[in-house]
Amino acid sequence: MKKRKVPMRKDLLTNTMQPKKDLVRIVINKENEVSVDPTGKKPGRGAYVSLEPDKITEAQKSKILDRSLGTKIDDSFYQELFEYVDHQKARKELFGDK
């Protein structure tokens, strides 16, 4: 069986290349609305972050997403992102790598 190529993306928080399925995409659209993109297909500028809740709190303190996406990001979005990442990490640990 032929081995498939694994798509890699750069994690904004750790500055390392990781498999796309191990990251979550944050997207900003033309109306400057920032949202979590679980499908990876929403239109707009995207940035990938790892599924590590502690890295999300570090990103909030350093404002790295603000600089990368070029807009001011509310603390409520960081809270939403933290909850999403925490949930996804728990799912991955519970159900394994599929």
Side-chain angles (χ1 to χ4, degrees), residues 17-31:
M17 295 296 283
Q18 295 185 17
K20 185 178 175 182
K21 67 179 181 173
D22 294 343
L23 303 171
V24 63
R25 184 174 185 242
I26 310 302
V27 67
I28 182 168
N29 61 16
K30 290 182 181 179
E31 291 80 33

Side-chain angles (χ1 to χ4, degrees), residues 34-36 75-86:
V34 180
S35 61
V36 175
D75 288 340
S76 60
F77 176 76
Y78 279 108
Q79 184 61 35
E80 175 189 338
L81 178 61
F82 181 84
E83 290 169 3
Y84 178 82
V85 165
D86 192 40

Side-chain angles (χ1 to χ4, degrees), residues 4 47 50 66 68 81:
R4 299 184 87 169
S50 61
D66 295 36
S68 177
L81 178 61

Side-chain angles (χ1 to χ4, degrees), residues 10-69:
K10 189 169 195 174
D11 179 8
L12 189 65
L13 308 178
T14 62
N15 210 20
T16 59
M17 295 296 283
Q18 295 185 17
K20 185 178 175 182
K21 67 179 181 173
D22 294 343
L23 303 171
V24 63
R25 184 174 185 242
I26 310 302
V27 67
I28 182 168
N29 61 16
K30 290 182 181 179
E31 291 80 33
N32 282 346
E33 297 168 344
V34 180
S35 61
V36 175
D37 182 11
T39 62
K41 297 181 181 185
K42 284 186 180 178
R45 177 170 174 76
Y48 289 87
V49 295
S50 61
L51 295 175
E52 292 295 327
D54 55 331
K55 296 287 184 188
I56 302 301
T57 53
E58 287 177 28
Q60 185 175 7
K61 291 175 187 170
S62 67
K63 302 288 186 195
I64 194 164
L65 281 174
D66 295 36
R67 290 192 305 270
S68 177
L69 298 175

